[in-house]
Amino acid sequence: MEYKNKDLIRGFVWSGLDKLGVVFLQLALELILARLLLPKDYGVIGVVLVFISLAITFSEGGFSNALVHKLNRTETDFSTVFYFNMITSFLIVIIIFLIAPTVEKFFNISGLTLVLRVISISIILNSVVLIHKVKLSIAMDFKSQAKYSLAAVFLSGIIGVYLAYHQYGVWALVFQNVAMAFFNAVFLWIGFRWFPKLEFSVESLKSLFSFGSKILASSLLQAAYFNSYPFLIGRVLSTRDLGLYAKSNQFTLMPSSVLTTVLQRVLFPYFSSHQSDDERIFGLNQLYTKLSCLIFFPLFFVMAMVAQPLIIILFSEKWQDMTGIFVIFCVAYTFYPLIVNNMMMFQVKNKTSLFLKIEILTKIIGSVFLLATINRGLIAIAYGILAQQIIQFIITSFFVQSVLNKNWLEQIKIILPFFFFSIGLLFLIRIGLDAIPLSLIWKLVLGLFFAVVGYMVFYFIFYRKDIMLIPKMIRGN
């Protein structure tokens, strides 16, 4: 399938409305829920989601990316993946039902068995619409996905807030998660009328698995790595610490990963259609690296600059202990979109073996940091995550430029000015706000004002031409 420039731009617009709309709606709902629930409630759901996220990753099996990457895909391919995914999901849910009591005993959290069993229903609900999402992504029909996602989040959010208000505690979060998966599945089946054929091809499965297996292994590794943090924090530290970690992670990694998904959903099929043109891919990768820096660095560093008043005003004083790790996470996850974009390049160039090797290497490094910091508290753990993100960016940047036969410093040279300026501005504003005795509201207002002015001056002096050229460069590609 050949994509035109208008398809790419339309894809960005609707993918952005889909994911960003969902994020802002979820954040608004979370502000309400955080005031109604306790950190320990988020700690319990954090333990449960460790298993659910791993299960969903495993059930998808890397077939989504394999179908998008394959240029001569057929309806037999789609039907085969659909049936395989359904069977896998049911088996996983059965396993979760069996191990749930053991998980409750391990974490010593009363009632965890029932919570885990109920929320595992979302695994099946996600599996029944895997192909619907893939086909819509291939067609770059993100408009439909935006409508369905927003409706599902809104309806499930109402359920969650209602239950939280009536003091259902962690069950408000459980039913919110299940309801969101349910509504999304219903809307996709009704709105996008695709039905699998009564066909199953072992050859098709093998062909797709040869590409998808490396992606699956990498996705499982990544999921296991990220979920090892709540797993160990909940086990070694406390449920309250896990709640603080989960909320900090949610409000930093979630926006970063969602905005990254906006880019990746559109760029992966587009880049894959040009997978043999290294110069074109390199130029686009450099462009979107700079675009990511222009967007993500101010977004996350500004949040870090006003972290303390922002957290207390939005969530209440019971969450103020998350300020330290929130600031470190804001700095760490500015690199996440760049890492994901680099890793996508390996898939585009069909270097899935290299993709997997890099994932293994970087996750081993991260695991060493985690084991070294787990007994030293949340701040030490957060610094370990920051170090791992920086190292992973450097490694992925080096190998991407090697695959594209470019100098390994090309991408890093784009990042450094943004990073050093942002770090300097962060320290200046935080020191200034701490030194002046002001109310929380005034600290928030002044912090935002000086942060925004600082970035505006920086961009005006050094990146004015780049900002003016970005729309033209996108249309020209």
Side-chain angles (χ1 to χ4, degrees):
M1 182 176 182
E2 184 177 349
Y3 300 105
K4 298 179 180 179
N5 293 331
K6 64 179 182 180
D7 297 322
L8 185 64
I9 297 170
R10 190 185 300 118
F12 277 125
V13 171
W14 283 109
S15 183
L17 289 174
D18 175 15
K19 290 301 178 180
L20 293 177
V22 167
V23 165
F24 287 126
L25 185 54
Q26 284 182 325
L27 292 180
L29 292 167
E30 282 298 325
L31 293 178
I32 301 173
L33 289 170
R35 289 182 170 272
L36 296 172
L37 301 173
L38 299 172
K40 67 176 184 179
D41 294 323
Y42 283 92
V44 174
I45 205 69
V47 170
V48 171
L49 292 180
V50 168
F51 296 91
I52 301 305
S53 61
L54 282 170
I56 291 175
T57 300
F58 185 80
S59 67
E60 291 184 356
F63 289 111
S64 297
N65 284 0
L67 285 168
V68 173
H69 185 269
K70 186 176 181 179
L71 298 180
N72 59 340
R73 62 189 83 87
T74 65
E75 282 300 313
T76 300
D77 295 326
F78 291 119
S79 298
T80 298
V81 171
F82 176 83
Y83 292 123
F84 182 80
N85 183 245
M86 286 295 299
I87 294 169
T88 305
S89 298
F90 274 105
L91 291 175
I92 290 173
V93 170
I94 292 172
I95 293 171
I96 288 177
F97 263 69
L98 294 175
I99 69 170
T102 304
V103 175
E104 178 177 327
K105 184 177 180 181
F106 180 82
F107 286 98
N108 193 28
I109 299 175
S110 178
L112 190 63
T113 296
L114 184 58
V115 170
L116 184 54
R117 286 174 173 174
V118 171
I119 207 168
S120 68
I121 297 170
S122 61
I123 299 170
I124 297 173
L125 294 172
N126 275 286
S127 70
V128 300
V129 290
L130 173 69
I131 301 302
H132 294 72
K133 294 177 181 178
V134 169
K135 291 180 78 70
L136 285 171
S137 294
I138 292 171
M140 284 201 176
D141 183 3
F142 299 108
K143 179 179 180 180
S144 297
Q145 295 188 61
K147 293 187 296 185
Y148 306 146
S149 298
L150 286 169
V153 170
F154 178 73
L155 293 174
S156 62
I158 292 175
I159 293 173
V161 171
Y162 175 84
L163 293 175
Y165 180 77
H166 287 85
Q167 300 182 340
Y168 279 82
V170 70
W171 284 103
L173 299 173
V174 172
F175 285 111
Q176 182 191 20
N177 275 272
V178 175
M180 184 164 59
F182 172 77
F183 287 126
N184 195 44
V186 170
F187 295 149
L188 279 167
W189 273 94
I190 294 175
F192 185 72
R193 295 182 178 277
W194 176 84
F195 297 94
K197 294 184 176 181
L198 296 176
E199 298 177 355
F200 188 91
S201 170
V202 176
E203 290 302 317
S204 172
L205 194 66
K206 289 181 179 179
S207 173
L208 292 168
F209 190 72
S210 65
F211 179 91
S213 60
K214 305 294 192 309
I215 307 303
L216 169 61
S218 175
S219 298
L220 285 173
L221 180 63
Q222 187 176 52
Y225 170 74
F226 278 115
N227 285 296
S228 65
Y229 282 87
F231 185 88
L232 289 176
I233 291 171
R235 177 64 176 173
V236 177
L237 300 179
S238 69
T239 307
R240 183 178 182 276
D241 285 332
L242 177 55
L244 295 173
Y245 166 85
K247 183 60 66 178
S248 298
N249 207 47
Q250 180 185 26
F251 275 78
T252 50
L253 180 58
M254 185 180 76
S256 184
S257 63
V258 168
L259 289 167
T260 301
T261 302
V262 171
L263 294 175
Q264 193 175 27
R265 289 167 78 193
V266 180
L267 292 180
F268 184 56
Y270 182 77
F271 277 27
S272 293
S273 67
H274 297 285
Q275 55 193 262
S276 60
D277 190 343
D278 286 355
E279 286 298 323
R280 188 179 185 86
I281 292 175
F282 172 75
L284 286 171
N285 190 41
Q286 291 293 91
L287 169 63
Y288 293 116
T289 296
K290 184 171 290 187
L291 181 60
S292 294
C293 290
L294 288 168
I295 295 172
F296 288 107
F297 273 82
L299 174 64
F300 287 103
F301 273 89
V302 168
M303 287 197 301
M305 293 168 196
V306 296
Q308 183 188 28
L310 182 68
I311 289 170
I312 296 176
I313 290 171
L314 293 181
F315 302 131
S316 78
E317 291 186 358
K318 65 187 178 184
W319 291 96
Q320 64 180 327
D321 289 344
M322 70 182 264
T323 300
I325 55 174
F326 180 82
V327 171
I328 301 169
F329 281 178
C330 284
V331 178
Y333 291 132
T334 52
F335 292 94
Y336 181 81
L338 304 169
I339 293 169
V340 172
N341 190 56
N342 284 342
M343 297 301 285
M344 184 181 70
M345 293 298 101
F346 299 123
Q347 297 181 53
V348 170
K349 295 300 296 179
N350 202 18
K351 301 289 184 180
T352 52
S353 294
L354 180 59
F355 180 99
L356 179 57
K357 290 175 183 177
I358 291 173
E359 280 285 13
I360 293 172
L361 173 62
T362 54
K363 295 308 177 284
I364 288 175
I365 294 171
S367 298
V368 171
F369 283 127
L370 174 58
L371 294 175
T373 58
I374 188 64
N375 289 311
R376 300 176 183 272
L378 292 178
I379 295 295
I381 292 171
Y383 276 118
I385 291 174
L386 171 60
Q388 190 274 339
Q389 288 288 292
I390 293 174
I391 292 171
Q392 185 169 359
F393 166 69
I394 293 172
I395 291 174
T396 57
S397 182
F398 172 81
F399 282 103
V400 162
Q401 306 309 313
S402 297
V403 168
L404 298 175
N405 297 311
K406 299 294 181 180
N407 188 306
W408 74 278
L409 290 174
E410 288 297 319
Q411 190 178 34
I412 292 177
K413 286 189 292 187
I414 295 177
I415 309 299
L416 290 180
F418 291 95
F419 182 72
F420 286 122
F421 173 79
S422 298
I423 288 290
L425 189 62
L426 171 64
F427 278 106
L428 285 174
I429 290 180
R430 284 188 62 82
I431 291 171
L433 292 179
D434 291 340
I436 304 174
L438 295 171
S439 66
L440 291 173
I441 292 291
W442 274 110
K443 283 188 176 184
L444 180 61
V445 171
L446 289 177
L448 289 173
F449 174 77
F450 286 115
V452 171
V453 169
Y455 273 106
M456 288 178 65
V457 172
F458 177 64
Y459 285 179
F460 181 80
I461 295 174
F462 297 103
Y463 293 99
R464 179 175 46 177
K465 293 182 179 179
D466 293 298
I467 293 173
M468 294 175 64
L469 284 174
I470 284 174
K472 182 179 179 181
M473 292 171 71
I474 293 176
R475 288 194 298 268
N477 287 328

